[in-house]
Amino acid sequence: MYAARQRIYLDTNVLVAKVKGEEDRVKKIAYWENYVAKEPKRRLIISIFTLMELLHVIRNALAKTLDPSTDLDQARDYVIERSSSLFNEILEDMIRLPEIYAIVLDIDITISKRELELQNKYVGRIRRRKCECGKSFVLRYGGVGHADMVHLAIARQLACDTFLTFDKGFTPLKKIVHPPEIIVL
Amino acid sequence: MLTEEERIERIIGDITEGKVSVRALKDYDIDLVLKIVNRLREARRIDPDTYIKILDYIGRLFLARSLGYEDVPQPDPEAPARLAGKLKELLSDIDPVEVVRDVRG
């Protein structure tokens, strides 16, 4: 018998999948929204670190839409202005999210030796990925890193019992980190 | 005469007991509220649910004010659906897992 999940931390890729509107993944997120809505004290937690990463994702994506010959100052101005506009559009909806969501910006977290030990021990996988030119391949390290550890530390600090992610790189940590229980969707 | 800290602490107690809405914190200094709520949490004088509820309100209040509102707008049941697909065009060729991995370096 499993205890009911009360506080469910959302990794950044979950929020990115939602704003991207990927049908399959949005359905998986909707399952959790429905689960949380069944009991008033349950919450899906969005942290400040998640919002910061989302903003970075938007800026990266905008920069990639520009022609490489674009003047760098003009490109910077465009990315800053457009990202601010898009981010604010997202925030307009976020501040109106029902109380199944909690947006937590101020967190006292402790990053301890535990985080370094975990990162040091679980090296993850090396993956072969198409390079951005699309013509050749590069090897990329695909294991957990410092930012993953910060997310887990925030989730622990907020007494989250569950950590939702789409990133299979978290799989090796499932047996080690508890709480929160990591669920790879 | 209560100090501002004592008034905030009393309101947090009332929120915990369900006597007042979390919006009762609206007119107080955000940083002071956070300092007190974190202190109370550390001393285990408030439960995790109330802690999250207050952090959530303060988080939304900060964002709402940065968008020009005085207080947090009322929740909208349609907001989750509106959020879905908001960046569909910009992120069309991007895998959410890969792009977050890239950002994390």
Side-chain angles (χ1 to χ4, degrees):
Chain A
M1 176 130 175
Y2 293 100
R5 300 172 192 281
Q6 292 286 102
R7 286 172 291 280
I8 299 163
Y9 187 94
L10 301 183
D11 193 7
T12 308
N13 51 57
V14 176
L15 188 58
V16 172
K18 186 164 177 83
V19 295
K20 183 187 173 188
E22 277 190 4
E23 204 174 324
D24 289 351
R25 285 173 166 162
V26 167
K27 276 183 191 166
K28 288 180 179 176
I29 298 165
Y31 166 85
W32 286 95
E33 288 173 336
N34 292 331
Y35 173 82
V36 167
K38 285 178 186 162
E39 208 274 310
K41 285 187 175 177
R42 292 178 187 163
R43 292 281 187 279
L44 295 170
I45 310 273
I46 297 172
S47 80
I48 187 167
F49 206 42
T50 298
L51 287 184
M52 289 163 73
E53 286 187 332
L54 175 64
L55 179 58
H56 199 143
V57 164
I58 292 170
R59 287 180 173 164
N60 265 356
L62 284 169
K64 284 180 183 170
T65 64
L66 296 173
D67 187 290
S69 63
T70 308
D71 174 81
L72 295 182
D73 288 335
Q74 280 182 358
R76 180 177 177 274
D77 289 346
Y78 168 77
V79 168
I80 289 173
E81 192 182 321
R82 187 77 187 114
S83 64
S84 172
S85 165
L86 288 171
F87 194 57
N88 283 350
E89 280 179 35
I90 288 170
L91 295 183
E92 286 279 356
D93 285 331
M94 291 193 80
I95 59 173
R96 290 174 173 80
L97 285 171
E99 287 179 359
I100 58 169
Y101 281 92
I103 303 165
V104 179
L105 302 189
D106 293 270
I107 309 148
D108 279 350
I109 65 163
T110 303
I111 307 290
S112 68
K113 58 187 181 305
R114 173 190 155 102
E115 276 70 40
L116 178 60
E117 278 174 352
L118 281 172
Q119 188 181 345
N120 196 18
K121 192 169 177 185
Y122 295 95
V123 293
R125 295 173 301 169
I126 305 295
R127 293 171 299 162
R128 185 169 284 109
R129 254 183 74 176
K130 252 186 184 167
C131 87
E132 292 196 4
C133 67
K135 292 174 185 166
S136 59
F137 289 87
V138 289
L139 297 186
R140 294 292 299 266
Y141 170 67
V144 290
H146 58 286
D148 305 313
M149 291 298 139
V150 173
H151 278 291
L152 287 170
I154 294 172
R156 202 170 56 246
Q157 176 67 23
L158 295 174
C160 293
D161 45 58
T162 308
F163 182 95
L164 289 189
T165 182
F166 286 115
D167 188 347
K168 292 184 173 66
F170 277 92
T171 304
L173 293 178
K174 284 173 70 171
K175 289 180 184 166
I176 316 300
V177 176
H178 196 283
E181 182 181 349
I182 295 170
I183 296 181
V184 180
L185 295 168
Chain B
M1 187 78 176
L2 296 176
T3 65
E4 190 173 13
E5 284 204 25
E6 288 167 337
R7 285 201 301 276
I8 292 170
E9 202 167 317
R10 179 174 283 187
I11 290 171
I12 291 172
D14 287 346
I15 293 168
T16 306
E17 291 172 21
K19 289 180 187 168
V20 297
S21 157
V22 71
R23 287 176 190 266
L25 292 168
K26 177 175 83 93
D27 297 323
Y28 291 92
D29 177 72
I30 283 180
D31 290 330
L32 189 57
V33 172
L34 288 168
K35 183 180 141 193
I36 294 167
V37 80
N38 280 321
R39 190 178 67 210
L40 293 174
R41 180 65 197 135
E42 204 171 315
R44 297 184 182 273
R45 288 174 54 201
I46 54 170
D47 60 280
D49 296 324
T50 307
Y51 180 60
I52 295 289
K53 188 177 193 171
I54 293 170
L55 291 183
D56 177 34
Y57 176 70
I58 296 296
R60 290 182 197 233
L61 185 61
F62 173 81
L63 296 175
R65 285 183 176 163
S66 74
L67 294 168
Y69 300 98
E70 194 185 325
D71 195 1
V72 179
Q74 291 298 325
D76 177 352
E78 299 302 316
R82 271 204 311 274
L83 205 53
K86 199 103 190 173
L87 299 183
K88 191 168 195 160
E89 201 178 322
L90 179 66
L91 303 178
S92 60
D93 296 328
I94 287 173
D95 177 65
V97 172
E98 292 298 334
V99 76
V100 172
R101 280 265 145 252
D102 285 347
V103 163
R104 291 179 187 172

